Amino acid sequence: MLDTRLVQFFLALPTPLKISKGVRRRMIRLAMKDILPYEIRIRDNKTVPAIPTVTYRISKSRDEILSLIKEVEKHPDISRYFDLEKLTSTLQKGAHQQLQPRFIIKAISYFLWRKYTQEEQD
């Protein structure tokens, strides 16, 4: 469980302690100055998925995800928010590791929502 006192403390901090010159997580980076190597401490991207099991599940469900994309691609909202060609191509190549797992999960959630709300309207 998350300690609510810690959350309250963090939310009460002035913004310059949390972000400075576009650098996020400033406090954590400063706290880790003598602990983590410089290259790791300052990086602003994650090169490996934060949740390996999500990446595994995406790879195992790739055909189902591609089928879902086919089902919802004609809905007008979908193409407004997602580049379905890129998503489909990336999944077909098995290169989904290049995408953020969170993005794929959100896309799937949206696709499913659209699919079922569309079925209700028909």
Side-chain angles (χ1 to χ4, degrees):
M1 293 298 273
L2 189 59
D3 187 338
T4 56
R5 295 171 299 173
L6 181 62
V7 173
Q8 290 171 344
F9 169 76
F10 183 76
L11 291 174
L13 290 172
T15 301
L17 287 177
K18 295 183 251 182
I19 187 168
S20 176
K21 299 177 186 171
V23 177
R24 297 174 302 153
R25 302 182 201 104
R26 183 168 182 255
M27 258 182 31
I28 295 169
R29 293 175 198 275
L30 289 172
M32 296 290 115
K33 186 173 184 177
D34 296 326
I35 298 169
L36 290 175
Y38 177 78
E39 296 81 20
I40 294 173
R41 188 171 51 85
I42 63 156
R43 73 178 181 191
D44 62 353
N45 66 343
K46 293 181 180 179
T47 55
V48 294
I51 312 168
T53 57
V54 172
T55 302
Y56 174 76
R57 287 182 181 169
I58 291 168
S59 68
K60 294 298 269 183
S61 304
R62 184 180 67 188
D63 293 338
E64 293 170 70
I65 296 168
L66 290 168
S67 175
L68 177 62
I69 291 170
K70 282 278 183 215
E71 288 180 50
V72 298
E73 68 185 353
K74 290 181 177 53
H75 196 284
D77 283 353
I78 300 290
S79 59
R80 188 179 332 160
Y81 299 119
F82 299 95
D83 184 345
L84 294 180
E85 286 181 29
K86 182 177 179 181
L87 181 57
T88 301
S89 171
T90 302
L91 287 167
Q92 286 172 336
K93 292 177 191 172
H96 57 277
Q97 294 88 351
Q98 297 171 359
L99 301 172
Q100 290 284 334
R102 254 181 274 148
F103 167 76
I104 297 176
I105 291 169
K106 286 180 181 181
I108 292 168
S109 298
Y110 185 77
F111 297 163
L112 287 169
W113 177 74
R114 271 297 175 206
K115 176 183 172 185
Y116 292 115
T117 56
Q118 188 172 355
E119 286 176 2
E120 289 174 4
Q121 293 173 359
D122 293 341

